Amino acid sequence: MGRIRCLFRPILAGATLRERLLACGGALAALCVTALLGYFVVGPKAALPFLVAPVGASAVLVFAVPTSPLAQPWSVIGGNVLSALVGIGVTAFVHDTVLAAGLAVGGAIAAMSLCRCLHPPGGAAALTIVIGGSVVAAAGPLFAFVPVGLNSVVLVGMGWLFHRLTGHTYPHRAPRVDPAERRSRFRAEDVDRALIEVGEAFDISREDIGLLLREVETQALVRRHGEPTAGDVMSREVVRVTVHDTPETARALLLAHDVRTLPVLGPDGTVVGTVGLRELVRPASCVSEVASPPLTAPADLPALALSRALTDGHAHAAVIVDADGGLCGMVTQTDLIVALCRALTDAV
């Protein structure tokens, strides 16, 4: 039984049963909406299909691996439409089906690569043109836009809505190069050289590879020296402001206590933001108008797990909160350095 269960383990890194079930539901809803809209646009008596098969493969990418470069909107729309146009061009000059099929798919790969919209279902879109018969041939270049382009646009729109509702980002935004990279033991050029050395293409952007490697460093650090928690190292006497305090009050507290960040509390005492001198340069009548979203963490989180978040150039402190979002303390960059020194000393 153990070996049988292994066969059903997801091959995608980070995949969970919940994510896969959500992807199934999202694809179901998206394909239904795409087919319905295509039906109304094409019309019930039209010879053209209202849904093309390559869109099913596109749905797998958009909903199951939305972070893939192959699943981004330009890849889906541009890849499918451009490939269909290549297929139409090939069939106009090559009448042997076998030769036309190979030329269409090969040409689609070349065209998508040149236009930076590589999308595997695009090969199926090009092949559909070749083997689609008289209906596709009669439609001419229009087929690349209706139904292929229409299906692709609707699918991308449904993907954006679905991932927004489920808390994911789509289109995927690769992390920007930040100060954390300069403090890592590897650089972007190291990633480039490693990819060249391996000699394989991976379905993940270089920026995401760097982000993943930095997180691996953090988790390895926690594994080796992860005993102190955020609650152990946090500062418990925390200067704070409320959403109704004025920027002048916040500025005076920052300077008087020589701190860089103040947590902002809402009327119920929960942490709703943070404010520092950087935010206070903007004109405002109260602190709530300029506060930034807080970096929060529970007290039982390993303190060293905050290392990446506190070295990315954005946050100078993490607000430690309880289960209800109430303020417990603060872990600053200085607190984190002290915790790291203690962990390394204990290890020796």
Side-chain angles (χ1 to χ4, degrees):
M1 287 299 294
R3 289 185 177 182
I4 295 177
R5 284 197 296 270
C6 289
L7 296 176
F8 292 92
R9 289 178 180 172
I11 35 182
L12 289 176
T16 63
L17 177 61
R18 177 181 179 276
E19 297 298 327
R20 295 287 76 83
L21 292 177
L22 284 174
C24 293
L28 170 64
L31 264 297
C32 289
V33 172
T34 302
L36 186 63
L37 291 179
Y39 178 82
F40 282 115
V41 171
V42 172
K45 296 182 180 180
L48 286 175
F50 56 85
L51 189 68
V52 290
V55 171
S58 296
V60 174
L61 290 170
V62 171
F63 291 94
V65 281
T67 60
S68 168
L70 307 177
Q72 302 314 300
W74 170 236
S75 295
V76 177
I77 299 171
N80 282 333
V81 172
L82 187 62
S83 297
L85 289 173
V86 169
I88 291 169
V90 169
T91 55
F93 297 98
V94 181
H95 302 293
D96 181 85
T97 303
V98 175
L99 179 59
L103 288 173
V105 175
I109 294 173
M112 289 187 291
S113 299
L114 289 172
C115 295
R116 299 177 63 83
C117 58
L118 190 64
H119 187 60
L127 187 60
T128 299
I129 304 299
V130 176
I131 63 176
S134 58
V135 172
V136 175
L142 176 65
F143 190 85
F145 302 98
V146 179
V148 175
L150 175 64
N151 288 171
S152 301
V153 170
V154 175
L155 183 71
V156 165
M158 288 296 296
W160 174 84
L161 179 62
F162 170 79
H163 290 300
R164 187 176 181 86
L165 293 176
T166 55
H168 296 89
T169 58
Y170 182 81
H172 177 62
R173 293 184 292 274
R176 68 178 182 84
V177 178
D178 54 42
E181 180 178 317
R182 294 192 291 271
R183 288 185 282 271
S184 297
R185 288 181 291 180
F186 61 88
R187 303 286 186 268
E189 55 265 29
D190 298 329
V191 177
D192 289 336
R193 285 195 295 268
L195 290 172
I196 293 173
E197 186 68 25
V198 172
E200 298 285 352
F202 295 93
D203 190 9
I204 181 173
S205 70
R206 187 191 71 175
E207 293 79 10
D208 283 328
I209 291 176
L211 175 66
L212 181 61
L213 289 176
R214 286 193 291 276
E215 184 60 32
V216 169
E217 283 187 330
T218 299
Q219 295 305 320
L221 187 66
V222 170
R223 174 177 53 80
R224 293 194 300 266
H225 312 292
E227 292 81 4
T229 65
D232 295 330
V233 304
M234 69 182 181
S235 303
R236 289 175 168 77
E237 298 297 326
V238 180
V239 185
R240 79 287 305 272
V241 291
T242 70
V243 291
H244 303 299
D245 285 326
T246 64
E248 289 74 18
T249 299
R251 188 178 295 106
L253 288 172
L254 285 166
L255 296 175
H257 294 273
D258 194 23
V259 293
R260 303 181 68 177
T261 304
L262 296 176
V264 180
L265 304 186
D268 58 352
T270 59
V271 178
V272 297
T274 57
V275 66
L277 293 176
R278 180 173 54 189
E279 288 84 6
L280 293 175
V281 299
R282 301 194 300 268
S285 59
C286 60
V287 167
S288 62
E289 296 177 7
V290 294
S292 296
L295 169 63
T296 60
D300 58 356
L301 181 75
L304 300 184
L306 294 169
S307 60
R308 185 169 65 86
L310 293 182
T311 56
D312 65 359
H314 300 292
H316 301 294
V319 184
I320 309 306
V321 297
D322 57 25
D324 298 320
L327 177 64
C328 295
M330 294 267 286
V331 174
T332 66
Q333 292 170 330
T334 302
D335 296 326
L336 191 63
I337 292 172
V338 172
L340 179 58
C341 290
R342 288 176 179 170
L344 293 176
T345 302
D346 292 342
V348 173

